[in-house]
Amino acid sequence: TGVRNVEPRPSVGFKFHTVLVVNSTHLASLASPPEHRWLPIFWALDYFKSAAQRDVQERGDWTMPPVDEIKIPEPHTALEEFRNAMHDWDESKADTAIASLARSSSAHEVYEEMFRFGARDFRSIGHKAIFVANSYRTIQCIGWKHAEPILRSLSYALLMHEKGNPRDRHDPADQPWRRNQELVKSIRKDWRTGKVDRGATESFLQTLRTGSSDDACDDVVRLLNSGVSAQSVWDAMYVVAGEMILQQPGIIAIHANTTTNALGYAYRTSANDETRRLMMLQNAAFLPKFRESMKSRGAVRNLTVQSLMENEPSAETDLNALFDELGSNPVSAAKKTFSHLAGGGSPQEFLDAARVLIYRKSRDSHDYKFS
């Protein structure tokens, strides 16, 4: 219903979160204590009605048009036509080609393409990659028979851009992908045999904190080619995204995390070796862009993950008291959380308590998506 009735324009975010958050609310419901299990579902229903009303106000009650059946390509040419249409940013040709693929191809074949196109540009602060990951997760649950309208919405969303055709411009949102198309070739063929290296993670953390997108991508190549495990690279990217929440709790930092989650999902799910390497490089390029975007949103605190390690490990923390403290002193509460987990406290108990607060108190889609 969301993909048929809410347009992913002018941005893939905003009201379109009614679609982006479907998988998140499903997971929230599954993870809920029994007495709260329906709360995420009712929230999602309410949020859809609100998003649909916003679509009426903003886009004149957009609905997905019927596919042009006459122009649907034959199955044996659909993949090439889809690739060409996406490279040309041609919405009508991409629409008919993806409809053909939905009717004739497997989920794995289609999403190998979507992973790459979802990661190729930095428009909509990561929502393109997020839509790819969350739509695939949703289809895995509800079945491929529902894929066609979802894929049509997805390809339409991935072609969102401003001004002229991005193919003919050198927009900053597109530059990392174009550079990484060449850079990815310089990663050693046996990159998957590297060793986990905490020192390498800490070194890469510093690059992500201070360097440019190009610096970060060059560092990924250097680390992988020196025998460092891809896990050590991803560890640094997840940690620096988490640090951004400490430094400026808000919309940009949240999307640094949810985008890293989406590109990490694409990395783990793809069966294409080059695609997996590109997901690492693109995420490394995006994180400095998130960091720079935060500067226009207000003060950025000088906090790092190391600043949470001041307290002695202790699993005796009262979780109710910890969450009460969040409202008045979030940094202190974060330090106590770290101490609690380092001392052997249960991550699951912490997550359960956090989720219940979200279900009972939150009205924002990002809280569900982030959890």
Side-chain angles (χ1 to χ4, degrees):
T1 304
V3 298
R4 291 180 184 276
N5 291 278
V6 179
E7 186 178 16
R9 303 285 174 95
S11 171
V12 187
F14 297 107
K15 64 184 182 295
F16 197 66
H17 276 100
T18 188
V19 169
L20 299 177
V21 82
V22 164
N23 180 69
S24 301
T25 51
H26 168 64
L27 294 177
S29 179
L30 292 180
S32 299
E35 64 271 23
H36 297 302
R37 188 151 292 163
W38 278 99
L39 291 179
I41 305 301
F42 287 132
W43 175 86
L45 290 167
D46 180 74
Y47 191 80
F48 166 72
K49 297 301 290 185
S50 172
Q53 183 58 39
R54 287 182 60 186
D55 190 72
V56 171
Q57 296 166 352
E58 296 175 10
R59 310 297 289 179
D61 198 14
W62 178 90
T63 55
M64 180 181 288
V67 68
D68 190 340
E69 297 286 345
I70 296 176
K71 295 182 179 180
I72 290 180
E74 294 294 326
H76 67 281
T77 66
L79 182 58
E80 183 179 1
E81 292 196 29
F82 178 70
R83 288 172 176 166
N84 290 338
M86 295 298 285
H87 285 303
D88 290 339
W89 297 77
D90 187 320
E91 293 173 7
S92 60
K93 290 184 178 179
D95 186 57
T96 52
I98 198 62
S100 179
L101 288 172
R103 299 174 188 183
S104 63
S105 301
S106 71
H108 299 298
E109 183 179 11
V110 173
Y111 272 87
E112 285 291 356
E113 303 300 314
M114 294 303 193
F115 290 145
R116 295 171 75 101
F117 289 118
R120 72 171 167 175
D121 65 287
F122 191 65
R123 294 176 182 87
S124 292
I125 57 171
H127 281 115
K128 292 184 178 184
I130 293 165
F131 188 12
V132 171
N134 282 4
S135 63
Y136 194 31
R137 289 160 165 154
T138 300
I139 287 172
Q140 295 299 305
C141 179
I142 66 176
W144 188 247
K145 63 184 178 181
H146 299 292
E148 186 173 323
I150 296 172
L151 293 175
R152 291 181 65 204
S153 175
L154 178 58
S155 63
Y156 182 53
L158 296 183
L159 293 173
M160 187 283 294
H161 63 87
E162 66 297 311
K163 301 178 183 176
N165 191 321
R167 177 196 58 192
D168 304 322
R169 298 185 286 122
H170 195 52
D171 194 272
D174 303 301
Q175 290 171 13
W177 180 256
R178 292 171 183 173
R179 182 175 187 265
N180 286 335
Q181 294 294 294
E182 293 301 316
L183 190 62
V184 71
K185 299 174 185 177
S186 63
I187 297 174
R188 64 190 179 99
K189 292 182 179 179
D190 58 343
W191 64 273
R192 286 184 280 186
T193 62
K195 295 182 179 180
V196 173
D197 185 332
R198 183 188 178 101
T201 297
E202 292 175 346
S203 170
F204 188 38
L205 264 175
Q206 194 57 34
T207 302
L208 292 170
R209 289 166 178 161
T210 61
S212 67
S213 293
D214 287 355
D215 293 335
C217 293
D218 290 342
D219 221 13
V220 171
V221 174
R222 179 185 65 81
L223 291 170
L224 293 176
N225 286 346
S226 68
V228 171
S229 168
Q231 182 64 55
S232 297
V233 172
W234 280 105
D235 285 348
M237 292 195 287
Y238 277 106
V239 168
V240 84
E243 281 185 348
M244 292 179 185
I245 291 286
L246 292 174
Q247 295 160 354
Q248 190 189 78
I251 203 69
I252 301 298
I254 283 175
H255 287 95
N257 283 269
T258 51
T259 300
T260 299
N261 175 280
L263 291 175
Y265 176 81
Y267 167 83
R268 295 190 307 274
T269 306
S270 174
N272 183 289
D273 188 87
E274 183 183 78
T275 299
R276 299 186 73 209
R277 285 176 277 141
L278 280 168
M279 296 304 102
M280 269 190 288
L281 289 173
Q282 286 299 100
N283 203 76
F286 287 174
L287 286 169
K289 290 184 176 292
F290 281 116
R291 188 192 70 222
E292 292 302 309
S293 297
M294 287 166 59
K295 295 178 181 178
S296 66
R297 295 288 184 131
V300 180
R301 297 186 224 177
N302 185 25
L303 288 171
T304 67
V305 68
Q306 285 87 350
S307 66
L308 301 182
M309 302 180 183
E310 298 175 356
N311 299 343
E312 290 295 320
S314 173
E316 303 304 317
T317 306
D318 182 336
L319 289 182
N320 290 327
L322 189 153
F323 282 106
D324 286 343
E325 189 174 4
L326 267 176
S328 58
N329 194 338
V331 174
S332 174
K335 290 178 179 179
K336 290 179 180 178
T337 300
F338 191 94
S339 172
H340 176 69
L341 298 173
S346 168
Q348 192 61 52
E349 289 181 4
F350 177 87
L351 289 171
D352 287 344
R355 285 191 179 107
V356 170
L357 285 179
I358 290 171
Y359 310 153
R360 294 179 61 192
K361 295 178 177 290
S362 178
R363 298 181 180 181
D364 193 279
S365 60
H366 294 93
D367 292 334
Y368 280 90
K369 194 168 61 166
F370 188 38
S371 73

